[in-house]
Amino acid sequence: MDPVTLALANARTNVKNLIPNGDLSTPLTQSKVPIGGVQVWSTAYFTTFDGYQVIDGLFSDEWRSSRIVFDSVVGHKYYVTSLVWGITTFWDPITKTYFAFRNNANWGRLSAVLTSAETPQEVWLRSIYVTEGPGKGYYRNLLVIDLTSTFGAGNEPTADVMDYVMDGFADGWFRGTQNLFFAFAGGVMRQIADLKNAVISLGGGA
């Protein structure tokens, strides 16, 4: 059985996003972040614009961080992901190390599986401002899922598997609680439709 099928077979019916405002529909502030929320250190360097966060800086090689806090169980594994642009990392403020890194001047997914060491759990999404490189950083569609609660201890899928499953959701993100299996099945059907349309456009017939 392939990893995606195995993950879905082990999953509970529903899955919850632990970051309700992950689509940034509410502008972020410097106020103390609630559990399940996101906080920026200084609004002078962050702008919420049309559903995504712009990370700016004054000097080259400056790191700017957004603080993400979610309710957690110590020892549980969590899938943490965001769509990002530029040089971005997920940073663990306890170990002071990053556990995911992406450097690309186009939109893509930054994701990792993190084992919780505190409750609530805190993660920083950091972007470096490079005047001679990608420049500003961007992120949107933050999402955190408790893999241990969803799939069971020992059955937690990898970040790569979860990335594939999340492609079944519109914009690779969802609010609240959703049915994981039907979302993935919907994604597969869209991929089939896209493939069919591509074949037709190449003269392959209807």
Side-chain angles (χ1 to χ4, degrees):
M1 186 179 295
D2 68 90
V4 174
T5 303
L6 179 62
L8 291 171
N10 287 324
R12 294 184 178 182
T13 304
N14 295 319
V15 61
K16 182 180 181 180
N17 180 7
L18 300 178
I19 309 294
N21 189 40
D23 64 344
L24 308 180
S25 56
T26 302
L28 305 184
T29 69
Q30 295 173 228
S31 302
K32 184 177 180 180
V33 61
I35 295 177
V38 187
Q39 171 197 18
V40 297
W41 293 114
S42 172
T43 53
Y45 306 117
F46 294 85
T47 306
T48 305
F49 176 77
D50 194 25
Y52 62 87
Q53 194 73 9
V54 181
I55 309 170
D56 206 343
L58 294 177
F59 307 102
S60 182
D61 299 333
E62 279 193 319
W63 284 100
R64 298 297 177 193
S65 303
S66 296
R67 182 171 172 245
I68 306 162
V69 179
F70 56 91
D71 196 15
S72 64
V73 177
V74 173
H76 275 210
K77 293 183 178 181
Y78 292 83
Y79 172 64
V80 185
T81 187
S82 177
L83 296 179
V84 300
W85 190 100
I87 304 175
T88 50
T89 71
F90 280 130
W91 176 267
D92 184 343
I94 296 178
T95 62
K96 301 187 184 303
T97 58
Y98 65 82
F99 56 93
F101 176 87
R102 187 175 189 275
N103 178 7
N104 208 318
N106 56 37
W107 284 101
R109 189 177 293 281
L110 176 72
S111 59
V113 172
L114 171 71
T115 301
S116 178
E118 60 176 347
T119 185
Q121 181 68 47
E122 181 174 334
V123 171
W124 295 1
L125 193 157
R126 309 185 77 198
S127 179
I128 190 168
Y129 180 74
V130 183
T131 54
E132 296 180 358
K136 297 178 180 179
Y138 304 87
Y139 68 87
R140 60 187 173 92
N141 294 358
L142 287 161
L143 181 135
V144 176
I145 294 173
D146 185 335
L147 296 178
T148 304
S149 292
T150 303
F151 298 93
N155 295 319
E156 299 95 340
T158 65
D160 287 342
V161 170
M162 287 304 300
D163 289 349
Y164 188 79
V165 171
M166 286 311 303
D167 286 342
F169 292 84
D171 296 325
W173 184 88
F174 65 87
R175 181 191 303 280
T177 302
Q178 294 286 337
N179 187 293
L180 189 65
F181 178 80
F182 285 114
F184 177 73
V188 171
M189 294 304 295
R190 284 193 293 274
Q191 291 173 20
I192 292 174
D194 290 343
L195 178 61
K196 179 180 178 181
N197 290 335
V199 170
I200 293 173
S201 68
L202 292 173

